Amino acid sequence: MGVIVLGCCAVWALISSALGQGRPEGVLLAVLAVVAGYACGRIGGSAVPAGAAVASALAAGAAAAAAATGSGAGDGRAGEVAALLALAQGAACCAACAVRTGGRAWAARLLVVAVVVLAAVLGSPAGCAATAAVALCALGAAGAHGRGRGPVLLVCAAVAAAAVAGVCAVAHGALPADGAVPTRRVAVWHEAVALAREHPVTGAGPDRFGELGPAAAQAASAFDGEAHSAPLQEAAEQGVVGLALLAGVYVWMLYGLARSPRTTPVAVSAAAALTCLAVLASASDALSFAPVAAAAGALAGLGTADPAPPAVPYG
């Protein structure tokens, strides 16, 4: 299923680009990052489940710190920082759930706390909220067993859908922003909706939103030509087909976690982090960065890996 969904994303980006004279390189890079991260997560999660999760958490945390302190940091990269922190927390919770006793268990729990502290140190309110939410979901699922993950994953899907619906309502003017969303961002969202109405099926072409939206071009220093909303930008640049494929990637990840051989706490931790990413991406440009796509793929791979049984000494 993953091969089909991601393959369709790549093919449709090429088709939409050919029809709208767009540039599909960004979409293809994101697909490649997800594939590479997922493969690494599956391999590492099968060989060393806890170790791979710790490594993924450390890598995502380091990437978040680099994004927050690097050149051009600020509001333009706030979504990237928060998304990486949420994914780092998901991996840390997977490690804590995979190791229940001994010194390694306490080390993994300290890592969970460290990610929350890192979010506070980096000054990311969204990151603090996301890391705390993922940790609470993992804690709530710690005693769950068997098939208890199904309702939780359905709630995750409902939360992601509600976030996207809320952003779309603001973009259409059906729901007032009331100062909760910056005025420039709302103006860019309006342009994304208008562009999606002009090209409902194929979109205007990948990576063309900054050229076709006057408000996006004027705010290029803050938004870098982005719609600051993954679903709205996908609808504007690749039409309803691209939007459906973006939703399909998230559904594929949740479906894989629902059928995963990993324990319920591990699957719920990964699903909570991916849902936080979906919520953040609905109102920011978090998915425009390759490290976020790679970290999301790695977390999905960790959550769906089949851990190899311990080796039995011969004889």
Side-chain angles (χ1 to χ4, degrees):
M1 183 182 296
V3 171
I4 294 174
V5 173
L6 294 174
C8 288
C9 288
V11 171
W12 181 251
L14 294 173
I15 295 175
S16 177
S17 177
L19 295 176
Q21 298 180 348
R23 295 174 292 275
E25 293 84 0
V27 178
L28 298 179
L29 178 61
V31 172
L32 181 61
V34 172
V35 172
Y38 185 78
C40 291
R42 285 294 294 262
I43 295 171
S46 298
V48 280
V54 170
S56 180
L58 294 176
T69 58
S71 60
D75 180 67
R77 303 189 70 173
E80 178 191 10
V81 173
L84 287 169
L85 288 169
L87 295 171
Q89 185 67 300
C93 289
C94 287
C97 294
V99 184
R100 296 299 188 90
T101 59
R104 292 192 305 165
W106 285 106
R109 292 166 188 167
L110 287 176
L111 180 59
V112 172
V113 177
V115 175
V116 180
V117 174
L118 177 62
V121 170
L122 296 179
S124 174
C128 289
T131 53
V134 174
L136 290 175
C137 288
L139 182 63
H145 299 283
R147 301 180 180 178
R149 71 183 70 176
V152 178
L153 297 184
L154 288 176
V155 170
C156 288
V159 170
V164 174
V167 170
C168 291
V170 173
H172 281 83
L175 186 67
D178 291 334
V181 183
T183 304
R184 288 187 303 174
R185 187 174 303 183
V186 175
V188 172
W189 288 356
H190 289 329
E191 289 186 349
V193 171
L195 202 57
R197 287 174 176 170
E198 293 178 12
H199 310 274
V201 180
T202 61
D207 200 24
R208 294 199 66 202
F209 178 76
E211 301 173 1
L212 302 177
Q218 293 174 4
S221 60
F223 298 105
D224 196 22
E226 301 286 342
H228 249 245
S229 172
L232 291 179
Q233 182 152 352
E234 196 73 10
E237 293 185 343
Q238 299 189 57
V240 66
V241 177
L243 180 60
L245 289 173
L246 178 63
V249 173
Y250 175 70
V251 172
W252 158 62
M253 289 182 175
L254 284 190
Y255 179 74
L257 292 171
R259 296 175 57 86
S260 171
R262 302 295 299 272
T263 62
T264 294
V266 171
V268 169
S269 299
L274 292 172
T275 300
C276 286
L277 172 60
V279 173
L280 291 168
S282 67
S284 74
D285 60 346
L287 287 183
S288 299
F289 301 92
V292 175
L299 182 59
L302 287 170
T304 56
D306 189 2
V312 179
Y314 179 76

